[in-house]
Amino acid sequence: MKYDLIIIGGGPGGYNAAALAAKSGLKTALFEKNKLGGVCLNEGCIPTKALLYSANMLDSMRQSKKYGITIDGDLAADYKRINARKNKIVRKLVLGVNQKLQAAGVEVIEAEAMLTGSDGDHIHVVADGKEYAARDVLLCTGSETSIPPIEGLADSGYWTSREALDAKELPESIVVIGGGVIGMEFVSVYTSLGVKVTVVEMTPKILGRMDTEISTALMENYEKRGVTFLLNTKVISASTDGVTVQTADGETKEIKAERILLSAGRRAVTKNLGIEELGIALQRNAIVTDEYMQTSHPHIYAVGDVTGRSMLAHSAIRMGEVAVHHILGRKDDVMRYDAIPGVVYTHPEIASVGVSEDEMIERGTAYRVLKLPMTFSGRFVVENEGETGIFKVIVDGEDRIIGGQMLGNPASELIIMIGMAITERLTLEDLRKHIFPHPTAAEILHEVIYE
């Protein structure tokens, strides 16, 4: 069974690349061993956002008096119904992915696939004992939760995001190991739904390389809501009763909790893929790729989390487009990593793209920060009673936009403006020629570029 393109992995990078390839005239087969949609659709991005929406709605109802609305009676969250709605949304979107692939003419094969070698003209693949071949192969096998070597963790009944999303009931208390994006989004859900939350993070701040001012403001927001953050703190053991931690000054503490949520990062999935058969280069267990998403083998490409470059669904989608375009003969479309938006869907949201002020300080190169509270947007004031927010734009010595960060809803919808400005190498003067509709939250960009 021969194809122009075989894709291994049906997450956002894989299924979108498959549809594009098939529509472009390539005979395409997509192998997926679990569920179409990958981690993002089935146990990550989408189900988490479904929970977050319900939690945020509850928060809004609790604050309704700020907006002149009185709700009689007690408010209560029915987690079983919230969970059922989440599952319904996932089923609907998985069906949509199936329909998209069928409409494009992609052959979907539900099996685990492995590379077995090359004869010079074709790459060979085996799945369920059957042999397949293709001129090009695209690897989209994603990532999995990193499990640190913590004493007692295996017997503690800990959750990863998968178990947390499958849970039918909420714990009364939880320790979240890791203050990254995934951890903080679950913190947002649990806090809104009344769970006592403690976050243990090894580094001096939450959210990794996210702008310090933004991440600190978010942490302070959640501290006011009752979340305990233990920074510069290491988990040294775990049990069914909670965790034992060690602080930066060597102090040992016991944190009691009904559940442990492990959110200490993710690692590329490259095992049992057969890449060693073709000598594909790895770096820190991730597949090395060039600007066209080619691996060290000219007819094998890799996109998404398995490359270790940018573990985001939208990054994977763009990488897949670049790979397919290169297979089709386009040499002018390359992958760029300087304008990939990152969003944390907490309440309020935060978002970032390009360089941060922290990075520019590390580089020691000329830059300027333009910054305003989000309240300079009338629409933001109308919709976010009592909130202030932050909007930052970073420009270089030529006033060219090179980064942006924001705290406040709807940051996830606004960040693309800065991303497009970076991609198109726009200056402040270029942006000043654009007309922003009034009243919109997006007007904050118009305000800040005149600072």
Side-chain angles (χ1 to χ4, degrees):
M1 288 175 277
K2 292 184 178 180
Y3 300 86
D4 296 316
L5 177 63
I6 282 177
I7 298 176
I8 301 177
Y15 75 73
N16 281 288
L20 174 61
K23 287 180 179 179
S24 300
L26 300 179
K27 184 181 180 184
T28 305
L30 172 65
F31 291 83
E32 172 53 55
K33 64 179 181 180
N34 293 318
K35 298 177 181 178
L36 282 175
V39 169
C40 176
L41 179 48
N42 292 283
E43 53 188 67
C45 319
I46 298 300
T48 306
K49 303 312 168 283
L51 297 184
L52 279 163
Y53 191 82
S54 292
N56 294 348
M57 182 174 287
L58 182 61
D59 284 341
S60 297
M61 290 178 178
R62 286 171 176 154
Q63 298 168 14
S64 65
K65 286 186 179 180
K66 292 182 179 180
Y67 301 88
I69 307 296
T70 300
I71 299 176
D72 292 328
D74 294 332
L75 286 173
D78 185 338
Y79 192 71
K80 288 184 179 178
R81 294 184 68 179
I82 291 173
N83 193 62
R85 176 178 179 270
K86 176 258 296 179
N87 293 337
K88 181 184 71 174
I89 290 169
V90 170
R91 288 193 298 270
K92 180 176 181 179
L93 293 177
V94 169
L95 180 61
V97 172
N98 271 293
Q99 291 173 339
K100 177 175 183 173
L101 294 172
Q102 288 177 7
V106 177
E107 183 177 348
V108 177
I109 302 168
E110 298 178 358
E112 182 174 8
M114 177 184 291
L115 302 171
T116 58
S118 169
D119 62 12
D121 294 324
H122 293 88
I123 308 297
H124 294 276
V125 173
V126 169
D128 268 354
K130 298 178 181 178
E131 295 185 2
Y132 303 83
R135 188 177 68 247
D136 294 287
V137 170
L138 181 57
L139 304 176
C140 315
T141 49
S143 64
E144 60 188 1
T145 301
S146 295
I147 310 297
I150 298 172
E151 180 184 344
L153 183 64
D155 300 318
S156 67
Y158 72 91
W159 285 350
T160 66
S161 58
R162 178 183 299 167
E163 290 79 23
L165 289 168
D166 285 342
K168 303 297 188 294
E169 296 180 353
L170 292 173
E172 292 186 5
S173 58
I174 194 163
V175 171
V176 180
I177 301 176
V181 175
I182 297 172
M184 283 306 301
E185 289 184 353
F186 275 105
V187 167
S188 187
V189 171
Y190 293 142
T191 302
S192 297
L193 297 180
V195 179
K196 181 182 178 182
V197 180
T198 302
V199 179
V200 181
E201 170 56 50
M202 287 185 65
T203 69
K205 62 188 287 289
I206 63 170
L207 297 172
R209 294 187 65 81
M210 179 68 73
D211 179 271
T212 297
E213 181 180 16
I214 298 289
S215 62
T216 300
L218 183 74
M219 185 179 74
E220 290 172 349
N221 182 296
Y222 275 91
E223 284 179 326
K224 291 176 183 177
R225 297 170 64 182
V227 178
T228 299
F229 290 89
L230 301 175
L231 306 181
N232 281 317
T233 301
K234 180 180 180 180
V235 177
I236 56 178
S237 67
S239 71
T240 54
D241 295 325
V243 299
T244 301
V245 303
Q246 187 175 64
T247 63
D249 58 10
E251 182 183 359
T252 300
K253 295 181 179 180
E254 290 188 9
I255 311 297
K256 298 291 185 181
E258 186 179 333
R259 283 287 178 186
I260 298 169
L261 174 62
L262 182 62
S263 181
R266 299 184 67 82
R267 61 184 182 188
V269 174
T270 56
K271 288 184 179 179
N272 303 319
L273 191 52
I275 56 177
E276 60 280 351
E277 295 293 328
L278 293 154
I280 295 173
L282 296 177
Q283 185 175 32
R284 295 181 181 178
N285 197 52
I287 297 176
V288 177
T289 56
D290 66 10
E291 61 188 347
Y292 300 112
M293 309 316 300
Q294 274 182 308
T295 69
S296 53
H297 190 293
H299 290 285
I300 298 179
Y301 296 73
V303 308
D305 288 11
V306 75
T307 69
R309 294 296 301 273
S310 177
M311 291 186 169
L312 299 166
H314 45 278
S315 299
I317 292 170
R318 176 60 185 144
M319 291 177 189
E321 293 170 349
V322 170
V324 171
H325 288 160
H326 193 255
I327 290 168
L328 292 169
R330 283 186 57 179
K331 307 294 184 182
D332 61 338
D333 192 15
V334 299
M335 184 63 198
R336 290 179 55 175
Y337 298 92
D338 60 339
I340 298 176
V343 180
V344 188
Y345 294 88
T346 45
H347 192 54
E349 296 177 346
I350 65 176
S352 177
V353 67
V355 298
S356 68
E357 188 172 1
D358 298 355
E359 290 176 79
M360 294 307 294
I361 292 172
E362 288 177 10
R363 293 181 186 182
T365 53
Y367 74 96
R368 190 157 61 97
V369 177
L370 307 179
K371 181 173 67 172
L372 285 174
M374 287 290 290
T375 47
F376 272 66
S377 158
R379 177 75 175 269
F380 179 85
V381 174
V382 166
E383 297 180 354
N384 296 272
E385 180 67 30
E387 298 293 331
T388 302
I390 303 170
F391 189 90
K392 300 173 71 171
V393 173
I394 314 295
V395 298
D396 64 16
E398 299 177 348
D399 270 359
R400 201 173 302 280
I401 291 102
I402 56 174
Q405 297 80 36
M406 59 193 75
L407 165 70
N409 300 330
S412 59
E413 303 294 345
L414 301 180
I415 195 63
I416 184 59
M417 299 188 299
I418 309 299
M420 293 173 71
I422 295 170
T423 299
E424 300 302 322
R425 295 181 53 79
L426 300 183
T427 64
L428 295 178
E429 190 58 38
D430 293 328
L431 278 180
R432 289 174 184 139
K433 299 173 184 176
H434 292 272
I435 300 172
F436 292 76
H438 176 77
T440 60
E443 282 181 291
I444 187 64
L445 178 57
H446 181 265
E447 294 294 326
V448 84
I449 59 180
Y450 277 96
E451 276 297 293

